[in-house]
Protein backbone atom coordinates (compact mmCIF):
# COMPACT_ATOMS: atom_id res chain seq x y z
CA UNK A 1 0.00 0.00 0.00
CA UNK A 2 1.22 3.53 -0.77
CA UNK A 3 1.70 6.04 1.97
CA UNK A 4 1.59 9.81 1.68
CA UNK A 5 2.57 12.33 4.33
CA UNK A 6 2.58 16.10 4.13
CA UNK A 7 4.02 18.66 6.48
CA UNK A 8 4.17 22.44 6.77
CA UNK A 9 6.25 24.05 9.48
CA UNK A 10 8.36 27.02 10.51
CA UNK A 11 11.70 25.26 9.88
CA UNK A 12 13.00 22.85 7.26
CA UNK A 13 10.64 19.86 7.15
CA UNK A 14 12.73 17.14 5.45
CA UNK A 15 13.55 15.39 8.74
CA UNK A 16 9.92 15.35 9.87
CA UNK A 17 8.78 13.90 6.56
CA UNK A 18 11.46 11.18 6.63
CA UNK A 19 10.54 10.32 10.24
CA UNK A 20 6.88 9.99 9.23
CA UNK A 21 7.76 7.80 6.25
CA UNK A 22 9.70 5.50 8.55
CA UNK A 23 6.45 4.86 10.42
CA UNK A 24 5.19 3.29 7.19
CA UNK A 25 8.00 0.69 7.06
CA UNK A 26 7.10 -2.89 6.12
CA UNK A 27 3.98 -1.98 4.13
CA UNK A 28 5.11 -3.50 0.83
CA UNK A 29 6.56 -0.43 -0.87
CA UNK A 30 9.53 -0.59 -3.27
CA UNK A 31 10.58 3.07 -3.40
CA UNK A 32 9.99 6.44 -1.82
CA UNK A 33 10.68 10.10 -2.27
CA UNK A 34 10.23 13.56 -0.85
CA UNK A 35 9.62 16.99 -2.32
CA UNK A 36 10.21 20.07 -0.16
CA UNK A 37 9.90 23.72 -1.11
CA UNK A 38 9.60 27.30 0.06
CA UNK A 39 8.83 28.79 -3.34
CA UNK A 40 6.23 27.56 -5.87
CA UNK A 41 7.81 25.63 -8.75
CA UNK A 42 11.24 25.60 -7.06
CA UNK A 43 11.98 22.83 -4.64
CA UNK A 44 14.03 19.75 -3.95
CA UNK A 45 12.91 16.34 -5.18
CA UNK A 46 14.80 13.29 -3.93
CA UNK A 47 13.76 9.71 -4.72
CA UNK A 48 15.22 6.31 -3.97
CA UNK A 49 14.42 2.66 -4.47
CA UNK A 50 14.48 0.45 -1.42
CA UNK A 51 13.98 1.42 2.20
CA UNK A 52 13.52 4.81 3.81
CA UNK A 53 17.07 4.56 5.17
CA UNK A 54 18.28 4.53 1.55
CA UNK A 55 16.29 7.70 0.86
CA UNK A 56 17.52 9.36 4.06
CA UNK A 57 21.13 8.68 3.00
CA UNK A 58 20.54 10.65 -0.22
CA UNK A 59 19.17 13.76 1.51
CA UNK A 60 21.84 16.46 1.72
CA UNK A 61 21.81 19.53 3.93
CA UNK A 62 20.78 21.72 0.98
CA UNK A 63 17.39 19.95 0.76
CA UNK A 64 15.40 22.61 2.57
CA UNK A 65 11.85 23.82 2.58
CA UNK A 66 9.10 24.61 5.04
CA UNK A 67 6.46 22.66 3.11
CA UNK A 68 6.80 19.16 1.76
CA UNK A 69 5.37 15.80 0.84
CA UNK A 70 6.69 12.28 1.25
CA UNK A 71 5.37 9.31 -0.69
CA UNK A 72 6.06 5.59 -0.69
CA UNK A 73 5.19 3.58 -3.81
CA UNK A 74 3.63 0.16 -3.78
CA UNK A 75 4.81 -1.78 -6.83
CA UNK A 76 1.59 -1.95 -8.81
CA UNK A 77 2.93 -0.49 -12.06
CA UNK A 78 6.36 -0.38 -13.63
CA UNK A 79 9.67 -1.51 -12.24
CA UNK A 80 11.25 -0.24 -9.04
CA UNK A 81 13.34 2.62 -10.42
CA UNK A 82 13.97 6.19 -9.30
CA UNK A 83 12.02 7.45 -12.34
CA UNK A 84 8.98 5.44 -11.24
CA UNK A 85 9.36 6.38 -7.56
CA UNK A 86 6.90 8.87 -6.10
CA UNK A 87 6.24 11.71 -5.73
CA UNK A 88 6.12 12.89 -9.33
CA UNK A 89 6.30 16.61 -10.05
Amino acid sequence: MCGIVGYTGKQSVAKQILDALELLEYRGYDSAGIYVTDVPDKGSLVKSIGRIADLRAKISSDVKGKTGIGHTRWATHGQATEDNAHPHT
Side-chain angles (χ1 to χ4, degrees):
M1 125 173 135
C2 290
I4 302 171
V5 297
Y7 193 91
T8 298
K10 294 181 180 181
Q11 299 177 347
S12 186
V13 298
K15 181 187 180 313
Q16 287 82 1
I17 292 171
L18 289 167
D19 291 348
L21 288 176
E22 283 182 339
L23 296 174
L24 301 175
E25 293 276 16
Y26 311 114
R27 304 258 174 128
Y29 64 86
D30 65 7
S31 56
I34 68 168
Y35 180 82
V36 296
T37 188
D38 281 330
V39 180
D41 299 324
K42 288 189 177 183
S44 296
L45 174 65
V46 182
K47 301 193 256 184
S48 178
I49 58 173
R51 305 184 63 82
I52 302 303
D54 300 323
L55 176 61
R56 188 180 292 273
K58 293 181 70 174
I59 305 292
S60 65
S61 61
D62 63 333
V63 175
K64 296 179 183 173
K66 296 177 183 171
T67 300
I69 186 171
H71 195 163
T72 60
R73 183 188 93 116
W74 195 32
T76 57
H77 58 281
Q79 295 182 351
T81 66
E82 287 187 17
D83 285 340
N84 284 338
H86 294 109
H88 296 288
T89 56

